[in-house]
């Protein structure tokens, strides 16, 4: 998995409760929950949620881009 940090841009590869296939999102928070890493993403339509590393692998394609203004 790519190094995910605040500002990392992703594209949804499958539909979830917060994103549709092809929708772009940006990581706005990197957190630790009970010793496990997590990443909060907000998507184009304003929906947002936290993703585990496994969720990222199955639902998002990291673009390698980083939005500098985040």
């Amino acid at each position: 998995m790519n190094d995910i940090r605040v500002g990392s841009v992703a594209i949804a590869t499958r539909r979830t409760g917060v994103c549709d296939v092809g929708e772009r999102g940006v990581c706005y928070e990197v957190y630790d929950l009970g010793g496990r890493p997590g990443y909060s993403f907000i998507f184009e339509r304003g929906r947002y949620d936290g993703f585990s590393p496994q969720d990222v692998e199955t639902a998002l394609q990291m673009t390698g881009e980083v939005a500098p203004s985040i």
Side-chain angles (χ1 to χ4, degrees), residues 6-56:
V6 171
S8 293
V9 178
I11 299 172
T13 57
R14 66 179 235 195
R15 185 174 188 196
T16 72
V18 296
C19 59
D20 296 320
V21 174
E23 192 171 358
R24 292 174 64 89
V26 66
C27 178
Y28 66 88
E29 176 185 40
V30 176
Y31 59 87
D32 182 87
L33 183 61
R36 297 175 304 167
Y39 311 97
S40 296
F41 281 85
I42 187 165
F43 293 89
E44 292 176 284
R45 297 190 178 147
R47 297 173 290 182
Y48 57 92
D49 201 2
F51 289 77
S52 70
Q54 295 79 17
D55 294 335
V56 171

